[in-house]
């Protein structure tokens, strides 16, 4: 038994209700690392998703941010991030999302990303395009890096690792019209998909950060690869470059510049 896109949409809305209800309230916050947070609402949202997926699809494998992996049939694998943008959420900055993806026999097939504050539901099915609240979306057509608005993020070990994206940030700062750091990788990919930003890059991500968003961006018409140019985002180390077909090569060129 395989899920439908409507199944994922329903799950995302249900988890989004939990996030919305907890927003602007005091939340118990724990540190997984020096700057890597988890809130009680992360756990509530993930528990909701695990319960409902396991109930409807008991033989499926689930890979989730907070609880790790639930063993099951690898031909049916779910990737869930119950709260992408936890730092924003903990600081009551309303930029965060629920991200859910489903892969069948290794092929990313379904993906949804839900922003519960704006009530925006991005979704895609392999081979059938991408939508925002039911309307088809596409990336921008801006091919000039100097006229492009880009978005990025930074790894949790940026204080201690020299591979912290600051070198790439400096290069793009001198070449792009503007750069933003919004704090939700899933929404960053969706912003490329619908043309709100022209390009996105980031290093040291996890599969649950990327799975739904990269399907949505690709189905919308964006080119999505690793920083090395590989189209296979499903293997470590996880990184991403996403942009329209004209801008993507220019972004890769900057990322491959030597110091």
């Amino acid at each position: 038994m395989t899920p439908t896109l409507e199944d994922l949409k329903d799950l995302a809305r249900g988890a989004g209700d939990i996030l919305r209800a907890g927003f602007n309230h005091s939340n118990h916050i724990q540190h997984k690392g020096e700057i890597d947070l988890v809130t009680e609402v992360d756990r509530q949202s993930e528990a909701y998703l695990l319960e409902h997926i396991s109930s409807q699809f008991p033989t499926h494998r689930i890979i989730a941010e907070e609880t790790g992996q639930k063993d099951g049939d690898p031909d049916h694998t779910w990737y869930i991030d119950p709260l992408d943008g936890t730092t924003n959420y903990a600081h009551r900055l309303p930029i965060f999302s629920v991200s859910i993806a489903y892969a069948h026999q290794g092929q990313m097939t379904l993906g949804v990303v839900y922003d519960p504050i704006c009530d925006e539901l991005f979704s895609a099915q392999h081979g059938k395009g991408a939508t925002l609240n039911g309307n088809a979306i596409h990336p921008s057509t801006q091919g000039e890096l100097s006229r492009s608005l880009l978005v990025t993020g930074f790894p949790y070990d940026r204080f201690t690792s020299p591979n912290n994206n600051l070198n790439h940030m400096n290069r793009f700062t001198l070449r792009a019209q503007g750069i933003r750091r919004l704090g939700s990788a899933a929404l960053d990919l969706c912003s490329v998909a619908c043309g709100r930003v022209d390009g996105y890059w980031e290093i040291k991500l996890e599969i649950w950060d990327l799975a739904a968003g990269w399907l949505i961006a690709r189905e919308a018409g964006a080119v999505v690869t690793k920083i090395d140019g590989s189209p296979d985002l499903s293997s470590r180390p996880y990184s991403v470059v996403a942009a329209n077909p004209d801008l993507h090569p220019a972004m890769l060129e900057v990322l491959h510049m030597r110091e």
Side-chain angles (χ1 to χ4, degrees):
M1 182 177 179
T2 60
T4 67
L5 191 57
E6 290 304 314
D7 290 329
L8 270 70
K9 290 179 179 180
D10 290 343
L11 288 165
R13 289 191 183 99
D17 288 343
I18 294 170
L19 301 187
R20 192 186 304 109
F23 191 60
N24 278 329
H25 294 281
S26 296
N27 284 286
H28 179 63
I29 299 171
Q30 293 179 310
H31 283 75
K32 296 186 287 186
E34 186 174 2
I35 57 173
D36 189 3
L37 308 179
V38 60
T39 71
E40 60 186 312
V41 177
D42 285 82
R43 301 190 193 280
Q44 291 168 6
S45 175
E46 184 160 300
Y48 169 88
L49 293 171
L50 290 174
E51 177 185 355
H52 283 74
I53 294 170
S54 297
S55 173
Q56 297 176 57
F57 308 97
T59 64
H60 291 194
R61 182 173 68 163
I62 305 173
I63 297 175
E65 179 175 13
E66 305 305 335
T67 55
Q69 179 172 313
K70 172 188 174 290
D71 290 336
D73 184 350
D75 283 347
H76 301 275
T77 301
W78 296 71
Y79 301 94
I80 63 174
D81 191 340
L83 172 49
D84 188 44
T86 299
T87 300
N88 286 349
Y89 192 92
H91 287 268
R92 299 174 183 172
L93 181 65
I95 304 173
F96 53 86
S97 62
V98 179
S99 176
I100 308 171
Y102 167 77
H104 183 235
Q105 297 179 343
Q107 172 70 60
M108 207 63 68
T109 305
L110 305 172
V112 300
V113 174
Y114 181 51
D115 176 346
I117 297 300
C118 295
D119 192 25
E120 291 190 333
L121 183 63
F122 297 87
S123 65
Q125 182 168 350
H126 178 67
K128 295 189 176 181
T131 65
L132 166 55
N133 290 345
N135 298 311
I137 53 174
H138 303 285
S140 78
T141 58
Q142 180 53 256
E144 296 294 328
L145 189 57
S146 63
R147 297 183 180 181
S148 297
L149 180 63
L150 308 181
V151 65
T152 192
F154 298 92
Y156 289 119
D157 66 353
R158 63 182 177 270
F159 295 159
T160 56
S161 172
N163 184 23
N164 57 15
N165 197 35
L166 291 175
N167 57 338
H168 302 316
M169 178 73 168
N170 289 337
R171 293 186 195 126
F172 278 117
T173 297
L174 298 175
R175 292 169 174 83
Q177 185 179 72
I179 300 174
R180 301 292 181 264
R181 197 275 196 256
L182 302 179
S184 168
L187 286 178
D188 290 343
L189 282 161
C190 291
S191 294
V192 172
C194 70
R196 290 176 179 166
V197 300
D198 302 300
Y200 164 56
W201 87 94
E202 192 166 349
I203 61 173
K204 296 184 179 179
L205 292 157
E206 296 292 347
I207 187 64
W208 50 77
D209 297 316
L210 293 170
W214 104 52
L215 178 64
I216 292 166
R218 280 180 174 169
E219 286 296 319
V223 177
V224 187
T225 68
K226 287 186 174 183
I227 280 182
D228 66 6
S230 168
D232 179 17
L233 275 72
S234 62
S235 61
R236 291 185 181 275
Y238 302 116
S239 65
V240 64
V241 185
N244 67 63
D246 292 328
L247 189 64
H248 189 272
M251 292 187 66
L252 283 182
E253 183 178 348
V254 173
L255 289 164
H256 294 166
M257 286 180 175
R258 295 186 178 183
E259 299 294 340

